Amino acid sequence: MLLPILLLSAAGFTVLTTEFIIVGLLPSIARDLEVSVPQAGLLVSLFAFTVAALGPFLTAYFARFKRKPLFIAILLMFAFANTVAALAPNIWVMAFARLLPALGLPVFWALASETAVDIVGPDYAGRAIAKIGFGIVCATVFGIPVGTLISDAWGWRSAFGILAVVALAKALLLWIYLPATHVIKETVTLRSQFGLLRSPLMIGHIVLSVLVFSGMFTAYTYLADILERLAGFDGTLVGWCLMGFGAVGLIGNSLGGRMVDRHPLIASMVFCAFMIGGLVALIPSIHSTLGLAAAMGIWGVTQAAMFLVSHVRLMKVAPHAPAFAASLNIAGANLGIGLGAMVGGRVIDSYGLGSLGFAAAGFILISILLALLLMTVRSGPVCANAG
């Protein structure tokens, strides 16, 4: 039972690294392609908005396919897209290279999560997805910062080139070791799946994901720029800081996996409350080694936890269609990521880098208020009947 989950976790590492590696490379990409950092940040928005707009539809359609060839095909597409990114001569080709993997990410992440839950059962969904989510945490612990270090040493294009090779290697591993799977249970109809969107409770949970991820990525999208321009760090030190940020996320992933199985909304509020503290303290502590480490540590733990908590929270609301519910979370989260990147860029242009933490905290505060409101709504699962 464990090996398939670990294989999917390793593949998830590559998938999520492809989405987020650009965070550490934005300053270098902007300089090389001769655009501003906020303009380069729109590449984050493009990826995220594509996932948000098409993710649920693609997931609902591909849920009927056998998992093994589907996952392998997605990884091959990621390898091609990262190769294009490594060779991109301008921002437009780079945008195309970011568009392609955005089509595959929601399908992989939602169906891999459903597969993990099928293996262990719904009572241990949080722990199972925590194992899949370990690949996400590793993407922030190793993928993003190592990409930054590679960029500093050999250029940002080499980071995408290496990621393309890694994607090919993961596709080969899945082909050799992942057992062939069948669609075990009858596929829930498209009408029933999209009928979930008639539920105010489901809509509320999706909006909560949008708010949480808007807050996180208003600041996180530009963290490398903050560390370069405000803290005065060089590219190598920025890479190590990002690695530390991701490393503490291992703690958040573990805590989130345990807390979300007990009460998803309470877990959301607890982690969001601590996240506000980290975000608000970041800029005032920028020139204090201990203060900066503490602020980034709190932020890193809570951010990793909220990736997992948000995902499981939606799946528990609709246990009869967990993959589609997961895709709705992925869509909402990526809508938030795109909005956050755009809001962060506007904040930088209008108020400066120093205001990002406070703008981000505002989103997170609103998300806590929404979670409190959702706790007053009937907590049972959304009805499967779509009419």
Side-chain angles (χ1 to χ4, degrees):
M1 287 187 179
L2 183 60
L3 180 59
I5 295 178
L6 293 179
L7 287 171
L8 292 174
S9 178
F13 167 85
T14 304
V15 168
L16 269 296
T17 298
T18 296
E19 178 173 11
F20 295 130
I21 191 173
I22 197 170
V23 169
L25 308 181
L26 275 184
S28 299
I29 292 173
R31 286 191 292 268
D32 190 33
L33 300 184
E34 298 181 346
V35 296
S36 68
V37 171
Q39 287 174 328
L42 292 177
L43 293 171
V44 177
S45 297
L46 172 65
F47 193 110
F49 287 151
T50 301
V51 173
L54 300 179
F57 300 96
L58 292 172
T59 300
Y61 177 77
F62 284 103
R64 71 192 73 181
F65 286 71
K66 291 183 178 180
R67 302 296 187 253
K68 180 174 180 175
L70 178 62
F71 293 154
I72 292 173
I74 289 172
L75 284 171
L76 291 176
M77 182 173 67
F78 271 65
F80 173 73
N82 284 318
T83 300
V84 173
L87 302 174
N90 55 54
I91 194 68
W92 301 108
V93 175
M94 189 66 183
F96 171 74
R98 299 301 292 167
L99 178 66
L100 285 181
L103 301 175
L105 181 143
V107 177
F108 178 89
W109 180 222
L111 296 181
S113 300
E114 182 191 47
T115 301
V117 174
D118 283 342
I119 291 172
V120 303
D123 290 340
Y124 299 96
R127 290 170 176 79
I129 297 175
K131 290 182 174 65
I132 300 292
F134 184 75
I136 297 178
V137 178
C138 285
T140 58
V141 175
F142 300 110
I144 296 173
V146 168
T148 305
L149 294 173
I150 291 173
S151 172
D152 189 57
W154 298 300
W156 64 269
R157 297 179 185 276
S158 61
F160 282 105
I162 292 173
L163 192 55
V165 174
V166 170
L168 281 175
K170 296 293 175 62
L172 180 61
L173 286 173
L174 290 182
W175 179 62
I176 296 173
Y177 294 110
L178 188 68
T181 57
H182 303 282
V183 181
I184 299 174
K185 53 192 175 184
E186 183 179 352
T187 303
V188 181
T189 66
L190 288 175
R191 183 182 179 190
S192 177
Q193 292 183 73
F194 282 99
L196 293 174
L197 297 175
R198 297 180 183 179
S199 165
L201 178 61
M202 176 60 76
I203 295 297
H205 276 275
I206 296 171
V207 172
L208 179 56
S209 291
V210 173
L211 288 171
V212 167
F213 280 82
S214 292
M216 292 194 300
F217 280 82
T218 291
Y220 184 63
T221 301
Y222 303 99
L223 180 55
D225 200 30
I226 290 173
L227 294 175
E228 279 194 14
R229 288 206 280 160
L230 298 187
F233 296 164
D234 60 20
T236 300
L237 190 52
V238 168
W240 286 112
C241 286
L242 292 176
M243 186 171 292
F245 183 93
V248 297
L250 293 170
I251 301 172
N253 188 63
S254 177
L255 292 175
R258 294 181 180 278
M259 290 184 64
V260 73
D261 278 333
R262 296 188 181 97
H263 201 300
L265 286 172
I266 290 178
S268 295
M269 290 187 292
V270 169
F271 287 118
C272 282
F274 280 98
M275 187 186 298
I276 288 175
L279 288 168
V280 170
L282 181 69
I283 300 301
S285 305
I286 199 74
H287 296 299
S288 167
T289 302
L290 290 178
L292 181 60
M296 289 187 64
I298 293 171
W299 181 12
V301 168
T302 54
Q303 178 154 308
M306 286 307 298
F307 268 94
L308 175 65
V309 168
S310 297
H311 202 65
V312 178
R313 174 172 51 78
L314 265 293
M315 294 180 74
K316 283 181 175 289
V317 173
H320 63 286
F324 187 69
S327 75
L328 292 176
N329 173 68
I330 295 167
N334 277 275
L335 179 58
I337 290 171
L339 289 173
M342 294 180 68
V343 169
R346 182 60 62 89
V347 169
I348 292 172
D349 288 338
S350 301
Y351 305 102
L353 276 171
S355 300
L356 283 179
F358 296 97
F363 278 110
I364 303 301
L365 179 59
I366 296 172
S367 74
I368 293 177
L369 298 177
L370 177 57
L372 283 170
L373 177 62
L374 289 174
M375 288 183 67
T376 67
V377 181
R378 181 178 60 87
S379 59
V382 176
C383 179
N385 182 18

